[in-house]
Amino acid sequence: RVPGWAKGIRFELNGEERAVSPVNSFIPVEIKKDAKIRVAFRQEIEKHFCDNGVWFSRGPLVYALGVRTRREIDTEEERSTEEFPAYNMYADSEWRYGVDPDSELKFVEGESAGWSLCETLPKIELNGLKLKNWDFDRRTTVIRAVCEAHPDLHPPRPVNGNFVFTPRIPETPEPDGEQQKITLYPYGLCKLRITVFPIVKNQ
């Protein structure tokens, strides 16, 4: 089966390269005896656009900006225990970047396939511009819906507190300073991450 992200196919049968034409996303292969089959798919960095933002993938993986975190035990969480504490995680590195989707994208193969966020992982490098009008959405009151299916039995009610939400992408991003290199890693390895970036055209 040929995955949808494949941009090209290299097919070898018993060490001999052969031209193939997928049929309904499959490569039919007739095998009469023992055979050694090798299939390689070509990958490219792809750009995807949504809600005035852009995100990047390569092959089957989505890439994101991994944000360093600061963890603090949530002392107000009733279910938190000493053996299994509840944590709040806060950004401990810059994340407010916009990118120009037309700027150069560089993929680095990497040497590691581990599950720790580090420089040896596969990565995408590109230039970003820090934004001065993109920050957390902070609120002191939210509306809590206990049961949307039965609002008459459990009506929504306001809840007071200090709430912090992921911000929406600004309609008109405002760059702050010079562009700088940012590095994107496989999405699943970034505990705290930015995946969709505001679009900012480099001047």
Side-chain angles (χ1 to χ4, degrees), residues 8 12 19 21 25-26 28 32 34 36 42 49 51 54 57 62-63 89 99 126 129 148 153-154 184 197 203:
E12 293 181 2
S21 298
S25 298
F26 286 85
K32 296 182 179 179
D34 292 343
K36 182 178 180 181
R42 182 165 57 86
F49 298 90
D51 299 330
V54 60
S57 65
V62 173
Y63 283 73
M89 299 179 68
V99 300
L126 70 160
L129 286 163
E148 295 183 359
L153 298 177
H154 304 281
L184 311 183
F197 297 88
Q203 302 298 324

Side-chain angles (χ1 to χ4, degrees), residues 1-9 22 39-44 46 59-60:
R1 184 180 65 83
V2 181
W5 49 259
K7 302 303 178 184
I9 306 168
V39 182
F41 300 111
R42 182 165 57 86
Q43 306 176 55
E44 294 179 357
E46 295 188 76

Side-chain angles (χ1 to χ4, degrees), residues 101-135:
D102 295 326
S103 63
E104 180 183 3
L105 301 171
K106 179 183 177 182
F107 178 73
V108 181
E109 287 283 353
E111 302 173 353
S112 172
W115 288 94
S116 297
L117 191 60
C118 62
E119 282 294 313
T120 57
L121 289 168
K123 54 192 173 186
I124 295 174
E125 296 177 346
L126 70 160
N127 288 324
L129 286 163
K130 184 179 174 182
L131 303 178
K132 56 185 176 182
N133 64 331
W134 195 33
D135 205 345

